[in-house]
Every structure is written in structure tokens, then in C-alpha cells.
């Protein structure tokens, strides 16, 4: 703004004329360079914002959940019912581990079994809607959900 040069009592400050500045700007194409740099900064900022949004989205997407359940699994045909519930969905149940005190005990004595498995997306999508289907099957068949945790 050159105010300091104007009010300096000893005239120790001096600025080039407006015409000289405009001439230098035109010769060296300074405005063009400034615009290019501004555009690059704007693009970089847009990429950073897009990356931040993508990271937030990824954190909210659940592609695998490990479940532990207990109850009368064999008698109630839980595996078959779970299969029927998700057979047309882009998910699967993997790594199924079932522990049963005894086979006869499950049917004759009504001893509960324990199972652990993972519900995973087959298309790397969010499995929350399919998890709700699985939970519904468990609830309808009086199977206790012992634990549920996001898995890798």
C-alpha cells in the first residue's frame, strides 16, 4: 500500500512506480505463474478433502464380523437357516467352529452348543444389513449372541 513510504519523515523508504511493477509483471508473466500455483494448491486441497472423506467412509464400512453364539444349534438347524437367510446376498459365513459337549447330549439332554464364525462380504461392501438378517435368525431361534466384533 506504500503508506509507510508516504509517512516516513526521512523518506528512507521508497517503492518502485506502479508502471514499473506492471512492466515487470508482464515481462515475467508473474500473474500467470501465481494463477497456476493457486490452481495447484486448490487441486491439492480438493484431493486432501476427498481422501479425508474416503477414509471416514472406509472407517464406517464393516466388511467382516466375528460372532460367537450358544444354544441348541443342531436341533434348530441353525446353519441351514443362516444359509437360507444369506444365500442370495453378497456375503458368506466362514471359519465355522462348533463345540458340542456330546452329540447325544445335544438332542437327549438339550445341552447347548457353542459356535464361532465370521460373516464376511464377498464384494468388499458393508455387511451391516446382512448382519441384521443373521441376528434375526438367531433371535427367532432363541440362540444367544455371546459376542460380536469387527474382524479383519
Amino acid at each position: 500500500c506504500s503508506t509507510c513510504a508516504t509517512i516516513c519523515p526521512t523518506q528512507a523508504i521508497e517503492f518502485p512506480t506502479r508502471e514499473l511493477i506492471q512492466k515487470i509483471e508482464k515481462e515475467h508473466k508473474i500473474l500467470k505463474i501465481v494463477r497456476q500455483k493457486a490452481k495447484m494448491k486448490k487441486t491439492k486441497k480438493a484431493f486432501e478433502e476427498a481422501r479425508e472423506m474416503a477414509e471416514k467412509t472406509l472407517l464406517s464400512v464393516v466388511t467382516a464380523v466375528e460372532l460367537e453364539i450358544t444354544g441348541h444349534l443342531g436341533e434348530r438347524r441353525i446353519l441351514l437357516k443362516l444359509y437360507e437367510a444369506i444365500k442370495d446376498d453378497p456375503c458368506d459365513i466362514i471359519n465355522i467352529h462348533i463345540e458340542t459337549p456330546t452329540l447325544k447330549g445335544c438332542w437327549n439332554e438339550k445341552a447347548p452348543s457353542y459356535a464361532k464364525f465370521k460373516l464376511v462380504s464377498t464384494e468388499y461392501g458393508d455387511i451391516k444389513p446382512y448382519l441384521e438378517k443373521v441376528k434375526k435368525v438367531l433371535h427367532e431361534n432363541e440362540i444367544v449372541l455371546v459376542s460380536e466384533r469387527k474382524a479383519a
Side-chain angles (χ1 to χ4, degrees):
C1 74
S2 72
T3 301
C4 55
T6 305
I7 63 170
C8 182
T10 60
Q11 295 181 343
I13 302 170
E14 193 174 309
F15 289 99
T17 64
R18 184 179 206 100
E19 292 79 25
L20 179 61
I21 292 173
Q22 289 173 343
K23 180 182 173 191
I24 292 171
E25 187 282 319
K26 285 180 183 175
E27 285 177 12
H28 297 285
K29 300 178 183 175
I30 293 172
L31 277 179
K32 182 179 178 183
I33 294 168
V34 169
R35 284 187 185 118
Q36 287 175 338
K37 287 188 178 187
K39 186 178 179 180
M40 287 172 46
K41 285 183 180 182
K42 188 176 181 180
T43 301
K44 182 179 178 183
K45 184 179 178 185
F47 281 134
E48 288 171 356
E49 289 171 354
R51 178 185 300 253
E52 197 174 294
M53 288 288 291
E55 287 174 354
K56 285 180 183 177
T57 301
L58 285 175
L59 287 175
S60 69
V61 172
V62 178
T63 58
V65 174
E66 187 172 82
L67 301 166
E68 292 180 77
I69 60 174
T70 188
H72 303 292
L73 308 179
E75 178 185 312
R76 301 217 169 112
R77 299 174 170 240
I78 293 304
L79 292 180
L80 179 60
K81 290 177 181 176
L82 289 173
Y83 170 75
E84 289 294 326
I86 66 162
K87 70 181 178 184
D88 297 324
D89 296 328
C91 63
D92 201 358
I93 293 177
I94 64 168
N95 300 335
I96 304 165
H97 300 276
I98 299 175
E99 295 179 17
T100 301
T102 70
L103 192 57
K104 290 180 181 178
C106 285
W107 270 271
N108 298 339
E109 299 167 18
K110 305 293 186 213
S113 298
Y114 165 85
K116 181 172 154 180
F117 58 87
K118 283 185 185 178
L119 176 67
V120 297
S121 170
T122 55
E123 297 178 356
Y124 301 103
D126 199 346
I127 61 162
K128 291 174 194 158
Y130 317 115
L131 178 59
E132 292 308 313
K133 281 183 165 184
V134 167
K135 287 181 179 180
K136 183 179 178 189
V137 169
L138 298 176
H139 179 73
E140 288 171 350
N141 289 278
E142 299 176 343
I143 302 299
V144 176
L145 179 60
V146 176
S147 73
E148 165 192 342
R149 66 185 160 97
K150 191 174 177 179

